[in-house]
Amino acid sequence: LKARGLRMPSRLSVLWRSLCKGRLSNKEREQSGTAAPEKRPASPAAPIQEPSGKEGSKLTDPDGLLAFFRGTACDSRGRKLQEMREWDFVRMERVHDYIQWMFPTDTASLFNGHAPLLSPEIQRVFCKDAELQAEMRLNLQRFCDFLGLEVLSDDDKYEIRKAAHFTERIGDCWEAMFGGNHNWLRISRVLQCLGLCGMPKEQQALLACLEALAAEGVPCRSAIGFWRERGQVVPAHQAKSQASAK
């Protein structure tokens, strides 16, 4: 809008910044149409044996998030993870309650009252389980494809860069309306998720790509600060250790 000599309405500007920070008030959410649906009744917690194999070592996974990532359970709407990865770009753009399952975080969603939470205990499981992390990489690869990016990886490096179809994805993913784009909020979620799951290599590769895009003129500078914050997220147990060391 600024490039066209137009000014963003002040309320919309505040709304976008609040969405990025996850600090939207209930009143603002109602006015913007982003109020979360009513929460479902809590389901009974399902004890899951921790991969460490220690006798009696169990955790609770009330949302069935681990089983969802292992392909043995569905999300709250009966969809499996592999099914979501097979969606076309149109469906990925229009459906708004799947991203919280593909990239869970420890923060309650403003948009999806049925979204799972990545508790500190489940974060530990992701950090230790190579198979779960492999599933997360597949999610990242698919989401990058949706953004018009590609993943290059081998034993020595992990890189994310613009793909050949990047220009085709600009309209949905990289053009700002009223200062932002809902896919930029999804990117913030992905960065946070990767950090919580103990995947700093992938987290930093995505952040480096975003920095490069902003530097070359892709109009996403309003989101860079938030992405940098999410790029510093680490698992809860690691954050606790770092705080204790100070």
Side-chain angles (χ1 to χ4, degrees):
L1 289 174
K2 289 182 180 179
R4 299 176 183 175
L6 299 176
R7 242 180 119 183
M8 185 193 318
S10 59
R11 190 179 72 80
L12 291 173
S13 178
V14 171
L15 175 60
W16 169 247
R17 291 196 297 269
S18 298
L19 279 168
C20 289
K21 294 179 181 178
R23 296 174 184 170
L24 210 58
S25 68
N26 288 333
K27 183 177 180 181
E28 287 171 325
R29 274 183 278 170
E30 290 171 2
Q31 292 174 341
S32 65
T34 58
E38 184 179 352
K39 290 261 185 179
R40 62 180 172 182
S43 56
I48 304 294
Q49 183 68 43
E50 203 167 337
S52 64
K54 294 180 180 179
E55 185 177 355
S57 177
K58 293 184 178 181
L59 57 83
T60 55
D61 180 14
D63 298 303
L65 187 58
L66 295 175
F68 174 73
F69 265 80
R70 289 175 177 140
T72 59
C74 300
D75 73 347
S76 58
R77 294 190 58 189
R79 304 169 300 196
K80 287 204 167 185
L81 179 56
Q82 182 58 38
E83 175 189 342
M84 293 177 180
R85 292 191 195 122
E86 294 172 357
W87 288 355
D88 61 23
F89 292 163
V90 173
R91 191 170 183 183
M92 290 178 72
E93 171 66 16
R94 293 180 179 175
V95 178
H96 300 286
D97 62 356
Y98 73 93
I99 199 75
Q100 301 89 358
W101 284 88
M102 289 186 77
F103 299 99
T105 72
D106 59 350
T107 306
S109 171
L110 293 171
F111 310 101
N112 182 0
H114 296 174
L117 286 177
L118 197 61
S119 68
E121 294 78 16
I122 295 178
Q123 290 173 39
R124 283 183 177 273
V125 176
F126 268 92
C127 288
K128 294 186 294 184
D129 194 313
E131 292 184 0
L132 290 175
Q133 290 196 349
E135 294 297 324
M136 186 66 74
R137 287 189 195 94
L138 291 176
N139 290 355
L140 178 58
Q141 184 173 344
R142 181 56 180 158
F143 185 65
C144 283
D145 192 27
F146 168 75
L147 295 175
L149 308 175
E150 63 180 352
V151 175
L152 302 176
S153 64
D154 55 34
D155 294 337
D156 300 322
K157 68 176 183 178
Y158 194 95
E159 179 186 358
I160 297 176
R161 67 184 187 185
K162 285 169 65 172
H165 65 290
F166 179 81
T167 302
E168 300 169 16
R169 303 302 304 145
I170 289 177
D172 281 343
C173 302
W174 301 105
E175 285 188 350
M177 178 174 290
F178 305 126
N181 182 308
H182 78 105
N183 285 307
W184 299 355
L185 300 176
R186 291 174 167 181
I187 291 171
S188 293
R189 166 176 284 277
V190 172
L191 287 166
Q192 183 177 358
C193 174
L194 294 173
L196 293 174
C197 291
M199 301 175 68
K201 181 171 64 174
E202 294 81 1
Q203 180 190 44
Q204 294 310 305
L206 177 56
L207 181 59
C209 178
L210 297 169
E211 295 274 13
L213 292 176
E216 70 178 53
V218 175
C220 57
R221 287 193 173 276
S222 63
I224 277 290
F226 301 107
W227 291 340
R228 288 170 180 160
E229 289 180 12
R230 299 302 190 275
Q232 296 176 15
V233 170
V234 297
H237 61 275
Q238 185 176 333
K240 186 175 180 180
S241 298
Q242 291 174 350
S244 300
K246 291 182 180 179

